[in-house]
Amino acid sequence: METLTVALADRAYPIHVGRALLDRGDLLLPYLRQPKVAIVSNTTVAPLYLERLSGSLRRAGIEVVEIILPDGEAFKNWQTLTTIFDVLLQARCERATTLLALGGGVVGDMTGFAAACFQRGMPFIQIPTTLLAQVDSSVGGKTAINHPLGKNMIGAFHQPKLVLADTDTLKTLPDRELRAGLAEVIKYGLIRDLPFFEWLEVHLEGLLCRDPELLAEAIVRSCRNKAEVVVADEHESGERALLNLGHTFGHAIETAMGYGQWLHGEAVAAGTLIAAQLSSQLGWLGASEIERVVRLFQRAGLPVFGPPLAVERYLELMQHDKKVREGKLRFVLLKDIGQAVVSEVAAESEVRRAILARSAHA
Amino acid sequence: METLTVALADRAYPIHVGRALLDRGDLLLPYLRQPKVAIVSNTTVAPLYLERLSGSLRRAGIEVVEIILPDGEAFKNWQTLTTIFDVLLQARCERATTLLALGGGVVGDMTGFAAACFQRGMPFIQIPTTLLAQVDSSVGGKTAINHPLGKNMIGAFHQPKLVLADTDTLKTLPDRELRAGLAEVIKYGLIRDLPFFEWLEVHLEGLLCRDPELLAEAIVRSCRNKAEVVVADEHESGERALLNLGHTFGHAIETAMGYGQWLHGEAVAAGTLIAAQLSSQLGWLGASEIERVVRLFQRAGLPVFGPPLAVERYLELMQHDKKVREGKLRFVLLKDIGQAVVSEVAAESEVRRAILARSAHA
């Protein structure tokens, strides 16, 4: 087991990465404020892993309440969230009860937001079971639900007390979800870590074959990047926005296609290539760099073109992007591989051109 | 105009109390991050005051979006909250847009919670138009909506940037709401300010006659008490719970009777007398003190008995109180007039006795 720390002063917390951690209820005990937890999971993950986690906690004398949500981004909304509140109240959970998120990004985001709001704030712990959640969404305290007009529009910053990433859970992850998770892994290399990008170029097939050591290293290096950025800018007033490379376009794709049709990582991959294209139009990224980026996403089996979506639809949905300021879009762009910036300089005509260049044609 | 400060380090903010403040858009300008606001009000308050506030802001060059909610505690729920989100998105409001709450406690609580969640947090300003909101709910950053099983169950701590209390708005306040507001005013005297309680004993009729100077003094003295408590314990880990005198019983009354049937202040008045009764059973409050408290609430025209509600129903609903710890109820009780404490000592049999003694019989 390897342990990193998100060094946020009075809200610092550890990230444990390793094997068979689901059986280690003992790792959670120091973080509980009372001998009672509520575990939120979904209909896919619960049959695989819930009993192991619950059992390990019950053996340690902890009362466990279980909350099973439907699976998928399409359910990341208020209606599902109220299911959590209903059960918490019926089961007499209190401000000091800890909420555990056992699942992927959707479960983690919703559980975190429920914890942020229930009785105005209760503690929670992230136990991510997908690659995407282990490398990205479980770390950093961003929680949210979707709104029909925009992804992650309603949410809160609420840091977990602990992140427990059991790499064994990746054995049961569908291929498509493994690939989607790799999009966020590649992102760290692109925005701030050229050596990591180069390491990924060497080891991508090993990761796709789920070599446990390689996966663990990719997770740890990703989390280290994420933790550094979050500590420098917890509430995204500056640097943290870089983590959103490809997300402005990606969120538009997810919202337009219907939540869950494109996986988040798939939309981020296509969005990242639109951002790379725009960067190259601005003269920042050369043709050979673009080619390198495209090739890595292709090897990962990720889409390198967006869906056949009208440019107008992108522009309309992107108006709701959280980075918009005074009506002006701001994009995360690449000065080079390993060096991202937030920029307002792109003219709308250039944005249109980049989207067109990187969209599948209907 | 008198100005107090809620001295919360990097989140300190002023409370302005005075006349004709709705015309003073200039007081808001220093707190806006962009020349755009969204004003949330309700169908009762908007026809009276919205145009004055909007006009004053528009003349200062501010773009104003208006959001009118249905009036009443019964609408303090997720469905109404989504109305706010829908309009914010349709009107292209951003993270840096400021939300203004123009109305009573319900509008303030919902607007504050919407501001806490929209794009994970936007600034907001409280412009309370009821006595209850001016003396209590607009100050301190508690925001929430109700759940069918419990009042204010879903919410956030989110401090406003400014509180603007225009005492002229109290001229149009229905008598019943004025009286309800006085319940929270009396509360400050009871929990920590004996001289204020004595001042209220002298001036209660003047307050009921809406003497503007007396009202302004009552508001300022209430806000000063509130601000001191909030600064000492923003997130209610200790002393702040004292502000909940009468609220454990009061919330049970509001929830059981149907939100809006009993006004919050009415339920708090009846709840405070149950708490006083319990305090006297514990030997803390003498018969003459109880009598003084009852008399002041009676003069204010507030209920001094709870509704004919089964004791079991109280106990059931109070299990969801946010002060519950490890299944154990905690009450705010009175050691004396002007001196409240949080206590776990009351046995359930004593709690039952106090409720019965202070309930109207069906």
Side-chain angles (χ1 to χ4, degrees):
Chain A
M1 183 177 90
E2 191 153 348
T3 301
L4 308 172
T5 302
V6 184
L8 281 166
D10 59 328
R11 277 157 302 123
Y13 56 92
I15 307 169
H16 297 315
V17 180
R19 309 187 62 169
L21 299 188
L22 285 184
D23 304 311
R24 299 288 306 280
D26 60 300
L27 291 172
L28 274 61
L29 299 186
Y31 299 93
L32 305 185
R33 283 170 55 199
Q34 60 175 204
K36 180 171 180 174
V37 302
I39 306 177
V40 180
S41 192
N42 69 28
T43 48
T44 304
V45 174
L48 295 168
Y49 300 117
L50 181 55
E51 184 43 42
R52 267 177 65 196
L53 180 63
S54 293
S56 142
L57 286 165
R58 287 195 176 110
R59 282 191 297 279
I62 307 296
E63 180 187 344
V64 177
V65 175
E66 298 178 348
I67 307 175
I68 315 293
L69 308 178
D71 182 17
E73 188 78 37
F75 298 98
K76 189 174 153 182
N77 55 29
W78 176 259
Q79 208 185 334
T80 312
L81 198 65
T82 50
T83 311
I84 303 179
F85 296 138
D86 292 346
V87 179
L88 289 178
L89 281 166
Q90 282 149 15
R92 303 229 184 284
C93 293
E94 306 170 4
R95 248 186 200 173
T97 306
T98 296
L99 216 49
L100 311 187
L102 176 71
V106 172
V107 165
D109 280 10
M110 279 205 293
T111 305
F113 188 43
C117 298
F118 184 72
Q119 300 205 350
R120 297 199 187 90
M122 66 195 297
F124 87 112
I125 289 174
Q126 291 274 18
I127 307 179
T129 61
T130 66
L131 183 61
L132 188 131
Q134 292 184 352
V135 299
D136 186 16
S137 61
S138 70
V139 176
K142 275 196 182 179
T143 72
I145 55 173
N146 298 328
H147 183 280
L149 287 177
K151 176 102 173 151
N152 293 340
M153 270 298 138
I154 315 299
F157 289 96
H158 189 53
Q159 299 292 343
K161 299 293 174 195
L162 168 72
V163 179
L164 199 72
D166 185 340
T167 53
D168 286 344
T169 61
L170 302 181
K171 291 180 189 161
T172 55
L173 192 67
D175 264 327
R176 187 178 167 195
E177 299 225 24
L178 184 79
R179 294 168 192 278
L182 285 172
E184 299 281 15
V185 174
I186 294 170
K187 175 188 79 178
Y188 294 111
L190 284 172
I191 62 170
R192 68 194 305 274
D193 193 346
L194 177 60
F196 188 33
F197 187 86
E198 289 167 343
W199 182 88
L200 289 167
E201 290 186 312
V202 174
H203 294 295
L204 197 82
E205 280 68 29
L207 290 166
L208 288 170
C209 297
R210 307 185 192 217
D211 177 299
E213 254 108 80
L214 290 176
L215 281 173
E217 180 165 353
I219 294 164
V220 168
R221 290 177 83 157
S222 296
C223 286
R224 191 171 296 133
N225 274 294
K226 177 93 184 232
E228 284 171 11
V229 173
V230 167
V231 167
D233 174 26
E234 183 180 3
H235 295 119
E236 196 168 310
S237 43
E239 185 189 351
R240 184 163 181 171
L242 300 182
L243 295 172
N244 270 331
L245 175 67
H247 283 60
T248 299
F249 300 107
H251 285 168
I253 294 171
E254 288 181 83
T255 307
M257 301 305 285
Y259 295 125
Q261 295 302 305
W262 278 55
L263 294 183
H264 176 64
E266 294 167 345
V268 165
T272 296
L273 288 167
I274 302 176
Q277 169 70 29
L278 187 50
S279 308
S280 101
Q281 289 169 204
L282 292 167
W284 293 349
L285 210 58
S288 68
E289 280 78 35
I290 291 257
E291 202 33 52
R292 253 179 100 179
V293 179
V294 170
R295 210 175 318 126
L296 193 57
F297 280 116
Q298 274 174 329
R299 285 167 60 196
L302 286 161
V304 295
F305 287 97
L309 198 61
V311 172
E312 295 308 324
R313 189 83 176 104
Y314 271 99
L315 293 175
E316 184 191 331
L317 287 167
M318 293 194 310
Q319 283 300 330
H320 301 307
D321 188 78
K322 292 188 280 295
K323 286 185 293 301
V324 167
R325 253 194 221 158
E326 313 260 330
K328 218 170 153 40
L329 283 166
R330 292 153 74 234
F331 294 101
V332 182
L333 299 176
L334 293 171
K335 286 277 184 181
D336 203 343
I337 293 177
Q339 196 199 339
V341 292
V342 177
S343 169
E344 284 191 9
V345 303
E348 193 184 295
S349 56
E350 293 296 330
V351 176
R352 288 173 180 273
R353 218 181 106 203
I355 293 170
L356 275 172
R358 276 285 154 196
S359 288
H361 295 290
Chain B
M1 184 177 91
E2 192 153 348
T3 301
L4 309 172
T5 301
V6 183
L8 281 165
D10 60 327
R11 277 157 302 123
Y13 55 93
I15 307 169
H16 297 316
V17 180
R19 309 187 62 169
L21 298 188
L22 285 184
D23 305 311
R24 299 287 306 279
D26 60 301
L27 292 172
L28 274 61
L29 299 186
Y31 299 93
L32 305 185
R33 283 171 54 198
Q34 62 175 203
K36 180 171 181 175
V37 301
I39 306 178
V40 180
S41 192
N42 69 30
T43 48
T44 305
V45 174
L48 295 168
Y49 299 117
L50 180 56
E51 183 43 42
R52 267 176 66 196
L53 179 63
S54 293
S56 141
L57 286 164
R58 287 195 176 110
R59 282 190 298 278
I62 307 297
E63 180 187 346
V64 178
V65 176
E66 298 178 350
I67 307 174
I68 316 292
L69 309 178
D71 183 16
E73 186 80 37
F75 299 98
K76 190 173 153 183
N77 54 30
W78 177 259
Q79 206 184 337
T80 312
L81 198 67
T82 50
T83 311
I84 302 179
F85 296 137
D86 291 348
V87 180
L88 289 177
L89 282 166
Q90 281 149 17
R92 303 229 184 286
C93 292
E94 306 170 2
R95 249 187 200 174
T97 306
T98 297
L99 215 49
L100 312 187
L102 177 70
V106 172
V107 166
D109 280 10
M110 278 203 295
T111 305
F113 187 42
C117 299
F118 184 72
Q119 299 204 353
R120 298 200 186 89
M122 67 194 298
F124 87 113
I125 288 174
Q126 290 274 19
I127 308 180
T129 62
T130 65
L131 183 61
L132 189 132
Q134 292 184 353
V135 300
D136 185 17
S137 61
S138 70
V139 176
K142 275 195 181 178
T143 72
I145 55 173
N146 299 327
H147 184 281
L149 287 178
K151 176 97 177 155
N152 293 339
M153 270 299 138
I154 315 300
F157 288 95
H158 188 53
Q159 298 293 344
K161 298 294 175 195
L162 169 71
V163 179
L164 200 72
D166 184 341
T167 53
D168 285 345
T169 60
L170 302 182
K171 290 179 188 160
T172 55
L173 192 66
D175 265 326
R176 186 179 167 195
E177 299 225 23
L178 185 78
R179 294 169 193 279
L182 286 173
E184 298 281 16
V185 174
I186 294 169
K187 174 189 78 178
Y188 294 111
L190 284 172
I191 62 170
R192 69 193 305 272
D193 192 347
L194 177 60
F196 188 33
F197 187 86
E198 289 166 344
W199 182 89
L200 289 167
E201 290 186 312
V202 174
H203 294 295
L204 197 82
E205 280 68 29
L207 290 166
L208 288 171
C209 296
R210 308 187 190 215
D211 177 298
E213 254 107 80
L214 290 177
L215 280 172
E217 180 166 353
I219 294 164
V220 168
R221 290 178 81 158
S222 296
C223 286
R224 191 171 297 133
N225 273 295
K226 178 93 183 231
E228 284 171 11
V229 173
V230 167
V231 167
D233 175 24
E234 184 179 4
H235 295 119
E236 196 168 312
S237 43
E239 184 188 352
R240 185 165 182 169
L242 300 183
L243 296 171
N244 270 331
L245 175 67
H247 283 60
T248 299
F249 300 108
H251 285 168
I253 293 171
E254 288 181 84
T255 306
M257 301 303 286
Y259 295 124
Q261 294 304 304
W262 278 55
L263 294 182
H264 177 65
E266 294 168 345
V268 164
T272 297
L273 288 167
I274 302 175
Q277 170 69 30
L278 187 50
S279 308
S280 100
Q281 288 169 203
L282 293 167
W284 293 349
L285 211 57
S288 67
E289 280 77 33
I290 290 257
E291 202 32 51
R292 254 178 100 181
V293 179
V294 170
R295 210 175 317 127
L296 192 58
F297 280 115
Q298 274 175 329
R299 285 166 61 196
L302 286 161
V304 295
F305 288 97
L309 198 62
V311 173
E312 294 308 324
R313 187 84 177 104
Y314 271 98
L315 293 175
E316 183 191 332
L317 287 167
M318 293 193 311
Q319 283 300 330
H320 300 307
D321 187 78
K322 292 189 278 295
K323 286 184 294 302
V324 167
R325 254 195 223 155
E326 313 260 331
K328 220 170 151 39
L329 284 166
R330 292 154 74 233
F331 295 101
V332 183
L333 298 176
L334 293 171
K335 285 277 184 182
D336 203 342
I337 293 177
Q339 197 199 336
V341 293
V342 177
S343 169
E344 284 191 9
V345 302
E348 193 183 295
S349 57
E350 293 296 330
V351 176
R352 289 173 179 272
R353 217 181 107 202
I355 293 170
L356 276 173
R358 277 284 153 197
S359 288
H361 296 291

